[in-house]
Amino acid sequence: MKVHVIFAHPLEDSFNAALFRLVTQTLEAEGHEVDSLDLYRDNFDPVLSPQDRIEYHDVTINQHRVADYVKRLQSTDVLVLCHPVWNFGWPAIMKGYFDRVFLPDVSFKLIDGKLSPGFTNIKKVMTVTTYGCPRHRAFVLGDPPRKNGTRFLRAVMNRRVSVDYLGLYNMNNTTLDARRTFMKKVIRKLKDI
């Protein structure tokens, strides 16, 4: 399968970077075609400019500044997101990626006044992420990143899309053993693709 892995963390020596490498290496070892995108190293511009917003609904031109990113999503079978949770959300660069790339006639279609998913090619979505807080604190606040990684992404994908959300909570207080256990869980899930 073709797997598009999107990574968002500025530090190459972070645990999230180690998870990104683990994901890409495991997928490649399993024989998948991996298309990895490191948003920071790619110098992705997350800012939705005034011109981007003006052109947002014009499906004849709205993709021209992000056409390569759109093409990569439209040609994949599986989408994997690797990122930390910051301030109970995606890192700003990843949020900007969704704002700029998940466009009308790309991530959703509007036909006869009804919305339908745009990424019907994507059969599986997986998120591999870390939280600085414990799970109960995220739960009390509604865990917006989990909802984005499951409900939002499911709404713009194939109706039978399979979704996995793997979060390592309380990252700042985890032991090395807990991190290793989490990495083994990630590997097991990747082998199921």
Side-chain angles (χ1 to χ4, degrees):
M1 293 188 121
K2 187 168 183 182
V3 185
H4 189 33
V5 183
I6 303 175
F7 173 59
H9 196 291
L11 302 178
E12 293 183 41
D13 62 348
S14 67
F15 182 63
N16 284 97
L19 289 171
F20 172 60
R21 288 188 296 274
L22 176 74
V23 166
T24 56
Q25 290 167 2
T26 302
L27 289 167
E28 287 169 351
E30 290 294 306
H32 297 289
E33 179 185 345
V34 178
D35 172 19
S36 61
L37 170 60
D38 181 333
L39 293 171
Y40 281 95
R41 304 308 160 267
D42 203 55
N43 292 313
F44 180 79
D45 181 2
V47 177
L48 186 71
S49 71
Q51 192 61 38
D52 290 333
R53 185 61 188 128
I54 289 167
E55 296 172 357
Y56 183 81
H57 289 286
D58 186 342
V59 298
T60 64
I61 59 173
N62 67 355
Q63 299 175 37
H64 69 97
R65 283 193 268 299
V66 292
D68 181 58
Y69 298 105
V70 169
K71 193 178 304 178
R72 291 166 86 171
L73 282 165
Q74 290 174 332
S75 68
T76 196
D77 303 304
V78 178
L79 175 63
V80 180
L81 304 178
C82 293
H83 62 85
V85 168
W86 288 338
N87 296 307
F88 290 96
W90 287 313
I93 198 167
M94 183 167 276
K95 174 63 168 83
Y97 172 87
F98 288 111
D99 289 345
R100 294 199 59 219
V101 180
F102 279 47
L103 297 163
D105 211 38
V106 174
S107 68
F108 65 92
K109 311 283 183 185
L110 187 58
I111 302 168
D112 297 327
K114 294 183 181 180
L115 287 173
S116 63
F119 293 122
T120 56
N121 54 296
I122 298 177
K123 295 160 187 61
K124 181 162 189 65
V125 177
M126 180 182 288
T127 298
V128 178
T129 189
T130 60
Y131 290 69
C133 72
R135 176 86 192 258
H136 70 273
R137 184 174 298 150
F139 177 79
V140 167
L141 295 172
D143 205 347
R146 181 177 286 273
K147 288 178 182 172
N148 279 335
T150 56
R151 296 176 190 178
F152 162 68
L153 290 177
R154 181 175 277 135
V156 298
M157 305 291 170
N158 179 310
R159 296 209 187 276
R160 288 182 290 245
V161 69
S162 168
V163 177
D164 283 319
Y165 189 89
L166 307 175
L168 177 61
Y169 291 83
N170 208 18
M171 170 68 194
N172 300 333
N173 298 305
T174 59
T175 64
L176 188 55
D177 283 342
R179 291 181 189 190
R180 286 185 182 136
T181 299
F182 181 72
M183 292 173 93
K184 288 176 185 174
K185 180 179 180 181
V186 170
I187 291 169
R188 279 194 310 274
K189 286 291 187 178
L190 290 169
K191 289 186 175 195
D192 288 341
I193 291 178

